[in-house]
Amino acid sequence: MSDTNTVSRRRFCAGACQAASGVTLATLFSACGGGSSSPTSPGSIASALAVVAGRFSASRVQVTIAGSPLANVGGAALVESTAGVFLLARTSESAFSAVEAVCTHEGCTISGADGATYVCPCHGSRYNRSGQVLAGPARAALRQYGTTVADGVVTIAL
C-alpha cells in the first residue's frame, strides 16, 4: 500500500486553518473598506477643507485670516499646528468657532465638509460647526475651544 495520496492530520489541519484565516481576513477587509455602499460611509458628498497652518505659542494657536477660506463668513478650514488639528469656521464678521478635528468615533482626522456640516472620512460621522453630533456612528461631541480675533488673526485658546 502506498502513502503518496495520504494527507497527514497535521497537514490537513494546517491547510484548513490557512483557508479559514484567508476567509476571515477577506471578510474583515470588505467590511472595513469604507466603500460608498456602507450606510455610514461619507460617500462623495463631503468636499475637502482647505488646510491652513496654525502657529502654536503660549497655549494658543494663531491663524492668519487673509488668503484663506476664513476671510468670508461661512468659510471653514482645517488648521494644522504642533498643538494638534482643529476645525475653524467663520460664523459671523467677528466670530469664529473652533473644535478639535479628531473624530470621537475612532480617532480619524475630519478633513471634509458638506456645507456647514463637518464629515468624518472614515465612517461618515457628521458634526455641526460647534462640534455637536448630527449623525453617527460617533456619539460624543468634538471638543470646543474659545476663539478671539484681532488684527486679521484668529487665536484659538487651548
Side-chain angles (χ1 to χ4, degrees):
M1 186 175 200
S2 174
D3 287 342
T4 58
N5 292 333
T6 327
V7 176
S8 72
R9 181 180 176 146
R10 179 178 291 213
R11 184 174 289 197
F12 173 79
C13 289
C17 287
Q18 287 174 345
S21 296
V23 169
T24 301
L25 286 174
T27 303
L28 287 174
F29 285 136
S30 66
C32 293
S36 61
S37 62
S38 169
T40 58
S41 173
S44 60
I45 297 172
S47 55
L49 290 168
V51 178
V52 297
R55 296 172 307 281
F56 175 66
S57 176
S59 298
R60 300 187 187 305
V61 174
Q62 296 182 321
V63 180
T64 302
I65 298 170
S68 76
L70 302 169
N72 301 312
V73 174
L78 176 67
V79 177
E80 292 182 340
S81 74
T82 57
V85 288
F86 307 91
L87 298 167
L88 185 61
R90 188 168 199 160
T91 56
S92 73
E93 282 298 322
S94 60
F96 291 81
S97 68
V99 295
E100 191 161 13
V102 178
C103 182
T104 58
H105 175 238
E106 287 193 5
C108 294
T109 298
I110 300 167
S111 58
D114 176 14
T117 302
Y118 297 126
V119 182
C120 177
C122 294
H123 301 105
S125 293
R126 295 174 169 271
Y127 301 88
N128 66 18
R129 292 284 165 100
S130 55
Q132 300 302 308
V133 177
L134 299 175
R139 294 184 180 185
L142 300 172
R143 182 175 178 189
Q144 293 181 307
Y145 296 93
T147 61
T148 56
V149 61
D151 299 323
V153 175
V154 178
T155 301
I156 303 170
L158 303 182

